[in-house]
Amino acid sequence: MKKDFLPVGTVVSLKNSKVKVMIMGYYPSGNAKPGYVWDYSGVLYPMGYTDGSQILQFDAEQIGEVMAMGYQDVEQFSFIERLQEAAEKVKTQEKEEEAPDADGKTE
């Protein structure tokens, strides 16, 4: 199942929060949850980027509402398609790595 990624520049509100966040990237990792890869990175709206400590990481499930959609064109649609394909490959590899071997052990 392909994930529908929102375009960079999209402004969202997060569930259980009053802040608005502008999406600025995909699949970041961070110190808050070592080894975990989030769906999105973003910055507070309307301030934008002020310094590296203000970059937020969040998953699609944490989005409460899309306030404004980011710019979309052919290049963005093509990028999202490649991102979805890469995400599917990663998920497939993760499932294969978690599958038990002949002894019932996972790697």
Side-chain angles (χ1 to χ4, degrees):
M1 183 175 151
K2 288 189 177 181
K3 182 179 289 247
D4 292 325
F5 290 96
L6 296 167
V8 166
T10 297
V11 177
V12 300
S13 65
L14 300 179
K15 293 177 181 174
N16 303 317
S17 176
K18 294 181 181 182
V19 301
K20 294 177 189 162
V21 178
M22 184 183 72
I23 294 171
M24 62 179 252
Y26 307 98
Y27 288 139
S29 58
N31 296 333
K33 216 173 177 182
Y36 186 81
V37 178
W38 304 87
D39 292 333
Y40 297 103
S41 62
V43 291
L44 295 176
Y45 177 87
M47 290 73 66
Y49 180 85
T50 55
D51 67 67
S53 68
Q54 297 298 313
I55 297 174
L56 307 172
Q57 294 96 23
F58 56 97
D59 287 322
E61 295 79 26
Q62 293 174 274
I63 296 173
E65 182 180 354
V66 174
M67 310 300 286
M69 190 67 75
Y71 179 70
Q72 296 177 297
D73 64 4
V74 173
E75 185 177 11
Q76 188 271 339
F77 287 120
S78 176
F79 173 77
I80 292 297
E81 186 175 314
R82 291 190 313 271
L83 184 65
Q84 290 170 328
E85 290 169 1
E88 286 299 311
K89 286 179 184 177
V90 169
K91 289 207 182 278
T92 300
Q93 289 174 344
E94 286 175 350
K95 286 180 183 176
E96 289 173 359
E97 290 173 2
E98 292 174 0
D101 61 15
D103 298 328
K105 299 176 184 174
T106 58
E107 297 181 314

